[in-house]
Each structure stands twice: as structure tokens, then as C-alpha cells.
Amino acid sequence: MTVEESENETILDRGVSYEDVRGRLFLAVCVAASFFGIAMLALLLWDVIATTYSAIFEFGVNPRDFLTQTSSRNVEKAGFYSAIVGSLWLMVIVSVIAFFVGVGTAVYLEEYAPDNRWTRLFEANLANLAGVPSVVYGLLVLGVVVNGAGIGPILLAGAVALALLIVPIIIVSSIEALRAVPDSVRQGSAAAGATKWQTIRNVVLPAAMPGIMTGTILALARAIGETAPLIMVGALFITTRTPGPFDRFGAMPTEIYTWAAQPERQFIAMAGFGILVLLVVLFSMQGLAVYVRRRYEVEFGE
Amino acid sequence: MSEKDGNGVSRRSFLAATGAVGVVGITGCLGGDTAITASGSNTVAPITQEAAESYQNTREDAFVDVSPEGTGAGFSDFCQGRSDIQSASRDITNDEIEDCDANGVDYSRYTVGLDGLAVVKNAENDWVDNITLDELRRIWEFESDVDRWSDVRDDWPDEEMSLTARDSASGTFDYFTENVVGERGDIRDDYSATSQTNEIMDAVASETHGFGWGGLGYAEAVIQDGGSLELVPVESDQDGEFYLPTEENVESGLYSPLARPLFFFVNHATLQDSPDLIGSFVRHYINNQDDFADAAGFFAAPDEEQNDNHGRFNEVLQSLGIEDEVSVEAQYY
């Protein structure tokens, strides 16, 4: 009896420790996987900050001049201001185009469209569209808008390319936000005598707006860092004057791209400074998205 | 010139942009209306940008927009009549000539400077003192059997080489393969190809067995910065001696075939439309081309090229009948 018991125990022990090792191993792999992303982000930040440090302290780039001067081939006179303004204009126009097209499509698909094969095909294609490489949108706009419609490589054309790029993302996130509004809310509104339009305008859209805004801001944050479509559309070599919507333009990512490819080491250091500015804008937009979601989120509880 | 008013143009382009189909034809040449557009090579773009900024300093109303889409893509714009100035790191090809002819675009060519292609090694590499053109060809040709230094010369070490150079999208790549390997685009497929010349120099500077080639300006920037990089003297096809790409050797033509001329082209139709704006820019560019080339890290073209440029531009202005309308005078040396 005692012999049997002790044998049982050793088998049990061995089993437990074997499973335990596998469990711990699995945990370690998961932790390593999650730390990989954090480590890469930390590495990136460290690299960007170190480059910015060398721009300011080794090459003597004055941060105030950097942020207030337009760019130039002369490294001493070059600044980031015109590129920042270019990017801001792009964001303003992109958000107007992409928000209305994106939310309009989402409202139609979720609230009006009949649930048939065509609608499902349409929605499946939206997901595909979100996966199209950004450079393709640049080529499309180059062919159709810049050369086809003949408006030339102006900032507005760049904004159209970026808007096309993020419209599918906004549609998908807006559809999710609209779906999160319970049907009981719509039925309540209808029962109170509201028309479909009144229901959407006064009940559904306000309830879904935090989700839609969050999705839109995150999509804009993606658009602001895009380089390839702008280069395809015809961004400038160096943005020597501050662009308006109908001028030839450069933006933050294209200016960084140009500087990083120059032989002068100071330009390369300044490209690092430019990346830091771009990252600050990016993180602020992400932060704004989180704030909007937290602040305006509506709970449909019991 | 008063119709070059910013507001009027903005309104027109706004209409076009919002889809007023009727004005599409008028706005087709919008870019040329507001400013001088310079398309073309990203190698030559810094020189043209120097010229553009210098010109903008002399004339408050003038803007020159330089876009660096590359020589080939630039020519396709230029031959559609969509740009006024085209920078090029190589001559126009037969296909491009046909394209320009088909669209009725007349143009003329000007030589603005010389680019030295540097062959580079790591500074710790003490065995490579020079290299012949035949050795370069053997290293870089398609299906090259050179993997180790000893494959190039018997007394070089039996260590693997680490090769880095430009990718096939660049005019520099076209030039090197055509003039060293023998046929454009013919190159081994197992080197590290990059679109950024900076990366070539950094790779060779960080690897004892690194070897590569690229624009001289990039190599010199790394060397000045204290990078572990050295230039390799290359055999000249002029006299068989070995030369470094110094100012003297490049401008005298001894550093050949690895020095190439850089050009810009002028569209005659838009020049005739805005003779003072564009003509004065071209004149300003030619007058100061040595300074602009130098400021952008390139070498000056020989003096006779500069005089030829002025002579050629005079002929163009005369044939268009606008020689009195260009306000900047030619400076002869």
C-alpha cells in the first residue's frame, strides 16, 4: 500500500513538474513577444532622441529656428516650419474628405442597405481596400487627379491620395461603432414617432460618435506619417515656401525623406529632429483619440 | 505678368479641383502659371535647388519648384510639356526623344557640372591600393565568380567581400553598369542594393571587408565626419594610370569613365510664354553654375561648357525672338 502510494506520488510529481515547465515556457514566450514590440519602440525612441540631441548640441541646430524657418538647400537656413504647415493643411483637408465619405458610407451600409449579397460583397471589398499599399493610391491620384483632371501636383491632390488611403479604415471603424448602438435604442426612437432620418441624426449618430471619432483620429494619425503616396503625387524636393491648399507642397514625412538622403551629416541629424516632431504630433493624436473615447463614451447598460 | 496673381490662380484651381469639368483644359498648365517647375533627377536636384533659392533671392515674385522624381520619371513629365526645366543625371534617351517629338516639345540641353563616382573601401583595408576597370567589371558583372578578395588579385587576403551599391532604380546604377560592366542593368544579383547612397557609405565604413561605389559627395561627407572610409584610386581609360576623384582629376577628364556630366533641359514652349521669368532663371543658373555645383557637392563643368551653354541659350532666345525680354545678362569668363 505504502509502496504503491509513493509510486503514485512520484508519477504525479513528475507529471506536474513537466506540465509546469511547459507552462512557464509558454509564459516566457508570451512575455518575450510582448516585450519585443516595447523594446523596438524604446530603441526607435532612443535613436530618434539621440539623433535630435546630436542635431542640437553637435551641429548647433537652434530648435526655435528649426520650428520657425522654411526649408532650404543651405543646411544653416533649413527649418521644418513649411513642412509642418504642409502636414497640417493635409490633415485638415483629409479629415474633411475622409470623414464625410467614410461616415456616409458606413451609415448607408449599416442603417439603410438591404442585407443581401451585394452589400456583403461591398463590405468584403472594403476590407480588401484597407489592405492596398499606400503607393498604389498615390499612383491612382497621379493618373486621375494630377494628370487626368489636370490640377497639377498641388497639396489638394496629396490630400485626396491620403483621404483615399484612410477612407476604408474610417468606414470599417464607423460600421463597428454603429453596430455597437443597440437596436432597442433605434426601436425606442421609432416608437416615439421619429422618422428613420430623425433616429439616425438624433439618436444613432450621437451615440456612435465617440467610436467614429476615435477611428477617424487614428486613421488620420496613420495618414500623417505616409510618405510614398505624396512622393508619387509629386511632393517637392525641399519645401522652401509655406504651402497653401493650392500650392506645390512638401510635408513632414517627405521633408524627412529628402533630408535623410542628403550627403551632409547635419541634414541627417535634422531628419532625426523632424522625426521627433512628427512623433510628438502622432502621439498627441493617439492621446486625443483615447481622451475622446474615455470622455464621450456612452454605456448602454441594463 | 500681373495675371500671375496668387488669388486668381487659387480660385481657378479650386474650381478645377472641385470638379468643374469645363476649366480642366485651362488649368492643365497651372503649375507653369504660378512658378517655374523643375522636374527630374534626384542627383541633380540639389544643384537646381541651389539655383532656385539663389534666383528667388534676386526676384521676390519668382518661385522655382524643384521636384525630385528621378531622371526617367522627370522626362516623362517634361516631354508632356508639364515642366519648364528638367534636371538629368544622364543624356536624354531615344525613347524620350521620340516622346518629346510626339508631343511637340522642343528643348535644349545644358551641362551644369560633373559628378565623380567614388569607389570606396573600409579604412582598415590596407591591401587595396588601386583597382583596374577590368577588376571592377569582374567584381560587379552578372554571375560574377568573385566572392573573396583573393579572387580579384592573388596577393589579396582570402576573405569574403561585402558588396554594397545602388539599386536598379537609380541613374547612378545605369551609369555604372553601362560604363564599367559594359551593358546597362547588367550586374551581379547578390550584392546589397539600396536606394540611399548614405547607406552604402555607412555599410562600407562599418565593415572591414566592405566595398562599394556611389556619389563622391556622400563618401566625402562620411570621411569628414570621421567615418572609417577611404576612396580607391581607379584606373583611367585615358592613360591607364590610377586616379582619385579629386577636383583636379575630375575636371581635367583623367578620372574617367567614373565621372559623368550632369545636365538640365529647357522647354522652349513655356520659355516663350514666360520669357523673363524662365529665361532669366536659366541665365542665372548658367552664370553661377560652378558655384551651385560646388555648393551641392559636385564639380564644375569645364569653362568651355559654360560658354557653350550661354551660346546655345542665345541661339534659342534668338530663334524664339525673345532675346530682348530676358533681363539677366550673360556673364562670359
Side-chain angles (χ1 to χ4, degrees), chain B residues 301-321:
Chain B
D303 284 348
E304 62 265 26
E305 292 282 2
Q306 192 173 23
N307 285 336
D308 285 355
N309 286 345
H310 277 307
R312 192 171 308 118
F313 192 56
N314 284 342
E315 283 170 28
V316 170
L317 293 178
Q318 270 163 25
S319 73
L320 297 173

Side-chain angles (χ1 to χ4, degrees), chain A residues 257 260-265 268, chain B residues 42-43 115-118 120 164-167 170-173 192-205 212-222 229 260 298:
Chain A
Y257 181 81
Q262 296 305 303
E264 292 89 350
R265 296 275 127 173
I268 297 170
Chain B
N42 55 9
T43 304
D115 182 19
L117 264 184
V120 290
T164 314
R166 286 295 296 271
D167 62 350
S170 83
T172 313
F173 172 93
S192 316
T194 162
S195 63
Q196 303 291 335
T197 310
N198 280 326
E199 287 173 16
I200 300 173
M201 301 307 161
D202 290 340
V204 174
W213 46 266
L216 178 64
Y218 292 90
E220 288 191 324
V222 172
L229 191 74
R260 57 174 172 167
F298 297 97

